[in-house]
Amino acid sequence: MSAPNSSERKACWDSRDLLWKCLDDNGDKAESCLKFQGEFESNCPAQWVKYFSKRRDYLQYKAKMETEGFKPAEGPKQPS
């Protein structure tokens, strides 16, 4: 597979941005954004779809850590 040209990259990025906006507007409910998801997957190489999906998860996690801070999970109490 050859690398996407500039117009194909732009179409991919535009599709990604529309999907992410839809997800943001709908509280990350994927079922509300199926049209945008389909366009994103058809306009982008599969490896890019995988990368951008992980990137979104990371950016959301990072934003959460910056606003809420780290809160360790409560595990079982250790005997003293």
Side-chain angles (χ1 to χ4, degrees), residues 53-79:
S53 297
K54 288 182 179 182
R55 177 82 177 149
R56 178 173 169 79
D57 291 342
Y58 167 74
L59 292 173
Q60 289 179 317
Y61 175 77
K62 181 179 172 187
K64 182 178 177 183
M65 289 296 109
E66 288 173 351
T67 58
E68 298 176 18
F70 175 73
K71 296 177 186 162
E74 291 186 29
K77 302 287 182 195
Q78 298 295 325

Side-chain angles (χ1 to χ4, degrees), residues 8-26 28 33 35-37 39-41 43-44 48-49 51-53 55-56 59:
E8 292 169 332
R9 288 191 306 268
K10 182 173 180 350
C12 174
W13 295 331
D14 289 344
S15 297
R16 175 206 58 196
D17 293 344
L18 289 171
L19 173 62
W20 286 12
K21 181 176 181 347
C22 178
L23 291 170
D24 288 341
D25 293 345
N26 291 290
D28 281 327
C33 304
K35 174 186 163 215
F36 295 108
Q37 182 71 37
E39 289 176 9
F40 173 57
E41 291 176 1
N43 287 332
C44 297
W48 288 26
V49 170
Y51 169 79
F52 285 136
S53 297
R55 177 82 177 149
R56 178 173 169 79
L59 292 173

